[in-house]
């Protein structure tokens, strides 16, 4: 259970230190993580991971059947603050779940960006300009069927399909393709 974290002090040599990073609810352990680093010597770690959905043996977590949670470490993974943060823009106020492997995270200095979205869901960007302390949500493409349940008949429409990427430019602006 949990995410396996391997690190070593010197790049390319030395023994690996192994640890585990667990979700806040062991019945909904983390799956499908993404990580990026920033700061001096890349010692600031930003991690997003999804809690295990019911179909994978997990449970509903804070109203979501697969919640996307954010954690940050400024000391290379020794301590985490915030830890297991459910950012408001991806809470149960907006979704019933977040799709597996349909998100990514990038950092550049104090800028951190999370892009998420899949078929039958919004395509959204969460951006922090203060190292992950506060977040702003930008809805890039809004699904016309909020809280859509798989199998429910709808009119045909074109939507984002989970294939997307983001990058920062030299001015801290996020660019998105999908």
């Amino acid at each position: 259970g949990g995410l396996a974290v391997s690190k070593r002090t010197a790049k390319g040599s030395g023994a690996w230190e192994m640890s585990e990073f667990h979700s806040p609810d062991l019945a909904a352990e983390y799956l499908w993580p993404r990580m990026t680093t920033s700061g001096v010597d890349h010692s600031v770690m930003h991690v997003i991971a999804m809690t295990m959905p019911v179909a994978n043996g997990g449970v509903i977590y804070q109203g979501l059947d697969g919640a996307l949670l954010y954690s940050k470490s400024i000391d290379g993974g020794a301590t985490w603050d915030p830890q297991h943060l459910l950012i408001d823009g991806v809470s149960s106020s907006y979704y019933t779940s977040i799709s597996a492997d349909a998100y990514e995270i990038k950092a550049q200095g104090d800028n951190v960006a999370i892009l998420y979205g899949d078929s039958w869901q919004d395509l959204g960007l969460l951006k922090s300009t203060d190292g992950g302390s506060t977040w702003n949500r930008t809805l890039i493409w809004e699904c016309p069927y909020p809280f859509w349940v798989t199998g429910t008949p709808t009119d045909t429409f074109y939507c984002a399909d989970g294939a997307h990427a983001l990058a920062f430019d030299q001015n801290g602006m996020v660019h998105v393709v999908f």
Side-chain angles (χ1 to χ4, degrees), residues 83-151:
Q83 187 174 24
H84 318 303
L85 175 66
L86 178 58
I87 300 169
D88 178 55
V90 291
S91 70
S92 62
S93 297
Y94 301 91
Y95 305 106
T96 57
S97 67
I98 297 296
S99 295
D101 282 334
Y103 44 82
E104 52 263 335
I105 185 170
K106 298 279 187 197
Q108 177 192 66
D110 284 336
N111 294 318
V112 185
I114 299 169
L115 182 64
Y116 66 92
D118 202 4
S119 299
W120 304 99
Q121 290 184 337
D122 300 332
L123 177 66
L125 174 70
L126 302 168
K127 184 179 179 188
S128 173
T129 57
D130 57 10
S133 295
T134 61
W135 295 88
N136 290 310
R137 178 177 180 246
T138 301
L139 204 53
I140 297 168
W141 185 86
E142 185 175 10
C143 178
Y145 307 106
F147 299 102
W148 183 79
V149 177
T150 303

